[in-house]
Amino acid sequence: MVPMSLFFLLLCAPALSYANSQRASPTPLWRRTSVPAVGFFDPRTNGGSWLTNNTGGPDGEPLNAVISAYSDGQVLLNQQVNGGILNYFLSFGFGTECLGQHEGNPQTANLGDGDGYLNQTAEIRWDYGNAEVGTCEETIEGGSHFRYWYQNGSAAESGAVFMAVSYETPLSEYHDIVFNGYNLGRDWLVGNVTAQSSLINTTTVNNASTYAGTTTYGGYTYHTTVTYASGYLENSSIGINHNGSVGNSITNAVDGLVAVLEVKMTGAPPSSSATRIALSTLPWTLPALLVVAILNPIAVLLSL
C-alpha cells in the first residue's frame, strides 16, 4: 500500500507550488522611495517626450494630465473591478469606447521608462451621463476624451498614468480639436474629477492653482486633489497636432501646464473585500480538487 503520508504530500503539492511561485506585485508604496515628489519621472530625462506620436502627421498631442504614482495602488490598477482605474473614470463621467470598438490607429507615447514608444493603453470618452452607451454619443457628437499610458518600464517604474486630454469636434467634422481644446479639455476634466459646481476658467489657471473634490461610482468613492505643474510642456503651438484650429496668434495651442491628480479611495462596498478573498482562493482550490479526483482512484488500486 502507498503510505498515506506520501498520498497527502502529493495532494498538497500543487497548492504549495502555487503559493511559492507567487510574488507580490510592485505597488506605489514600493516605488515611493525613488519617485520624485511630483508623482512621476520626467520622460525627457531618459529620451522620452511630453508629446504623443503616430497622430497621422508629424506633430503630437500634449500629455497634459498625470495621475500621480502617490495615488492609492488599488485605484491605479488597470481594471474596473475592486475600484480600479476604469471605475474611477466612470465616477467622473468617462468610459471606454463605444461597444469596445476603436477606429483609426492608436497614438503612441514614450514616457522615458525604457520601453520606447508604446500604443495608448486605451481611449476614454465622455459618456454624456450614460455609463453603458454614452461614449457612442461622444464618438458621433464629439466632446471630451483622453488617451492614457502607464509609466512602468524598468528605467522609470513610477506606475503613474499619463493622459492626453482634449475636446474634439463631431465625427462629421473629422474629430478636429476645438479652439483651445487641449487646455479646455484638461481643465474641464479637472472640474469633473473634483466635482466643481462651475466650469474652471482656463485663462486664470496657473502653476499655483489647486482643486479638490469627491466622486463615486459602483459603491466606490474617490477623493482627488489636483495641482498644476509647469516646466514640462512648452507654452507653444509648435509641434502640436491640429495647431491650425487649436491656437492662433494670441493663444498658444498648449499653455505649458500639466494637471497632476492624486487620487485616494475613501469608500468601498462592504462586500468588496469578501469578493477579493473568494476570488483569490480559486487558483489553488481547483488544482487541489483535480488532484483528489486523479489520485483517489490510484490510491484505491494500489491498496488492493
Side-chain angles (χ1 to χ4, degrees):
M1 177 184 293
V2 176
M4 290 303 293
S5 59
L6 176 60
F7 172 76
F8 283 109
L9 180 61
L10 290 170
L11 178 62
C12 294
L16 293 171
S17 174
Y18 177 83
N20 290 334
S21 67
Q22 300 306 294
R23 295 181 180 178
S25 299
T27 69
L29 289 175
W30 170 79
R31 303 184 183 101
R32 287 176 187 175
T33 56
S34 58
V35 177
V38 70
F40 54 83
F41 292 104
D42 185 346
R44 298 171 299 180
T45 60
N46 196 30
S49 173
W50 282 92
L51 299 179
T52 67
N53 203 345
N54 199 37
T55 60
D59 300 325
E61 300 195 356
L63 295 166
N64 52 6
V66 180
I67 301 178
S68 165
Y70 291 94
S71 300
D72 284 346
Q74 189 171 340
V75 178
L76 290 172
L77 295 175
N78 190 39
Q79 60 187 30
Q80 184 176 340
V81 297
N82 293 332
I85 201 165
L86 296 178
N87 196 77
Y88 173 59
F89 294 158
L90 286 165
S91 78
F92 57 87
F94 284 76
T96 54
E97 293 201 85
C98 177
L99 305 178
Q101 301 301 307
H102 177 74
E103 295 296 328
N105 295 323
Q107 291 190 24
T108 62
N110 182 348
L111 302 184
D113 58 4
D115 286 343
Y117 279 94
L118 295 179
N119 288 344
Q120 61 200 38
T121 302
E123 187 168 355
I124 305 297
R125 299 181 181 276
W126 175 243
D127 68 16
Y128 281 91
N130 186 329
E132 285 72 34
V133 295
T135 57
C136 298
E137 183 175 353
E138 195 282 338
T139 299
I140 298 170
E141 299 295 335
S144 291
H145 72 302
F146 61 86
R147 298 168 170 86
Y148 70 99
W149 293 259
Y150 278 87
Q151 188 179 55
N152 57 9
S154 59
E157 192 176 3
S158 72
V161 179
F162 285 64
M163 307 161 70
V165 191
S166 60
Y167 196 99
E168 65 184 359
T169 62
L171 181 61
S172 61
E173 298 177 23
Y174 307 104
H175 282 167
D176 203 352
I177 304 300
V178 303
F179 178 73
N180 206 19
Y182 295 120
N183 303 322
L184 291 173
R186 174 203 62 208
D187 295 339
W188 291 346
L189 181 140
V190 169
N192 287 332
V193 302
T194 59
Q196 298 298 302
S197 59
S198 59
L199 292 177
I200 292 174
N201 186 347
T202 296
T203 63
T204 63
V205 171
N206 55 51
N207 61 4
S209 300
T210 61
Y211 297 90
T214 298
T215 58
T216 184
Y217 187 84
Y220 292 90
T221 302
Y222 309 91
H223 183 80
T224 305
T225 302
V226 180
T227 57
Y228 284 81
S230 58
Y232 299 103
L233 281 168
E234 295 292 330
N235 184 354
S236 174
S237 294
I238 298 174
I240 304 301
N241 197 32
H242 301 286
N243 58 29
S245 63
V246 179
N248 59 22
S249 59
I250 299 174
T251 303
N252 283 333
V254 174
D255 63 9
L257 296 174
V258 176
V260 182
L261 290 59
E262 187 171 319
V263 188
K264 302 298 182 182
M265 184 181 292
T266 57
S271 60
S272 61
S273 60
T275 301
R276 289 195 298 273
I277 292 171
L279 290 175
S280 68
T281 62
L282 289 176
W284 63 267
T285 54
L286 289 177
L289 291 173
L290 288 174
V291 172
V292 171
I294 294 171
L295 293 184
N296 269 342
I298 295 175
V300 171
L301 287 173
L302 291 176
S303 65
L304 294 176

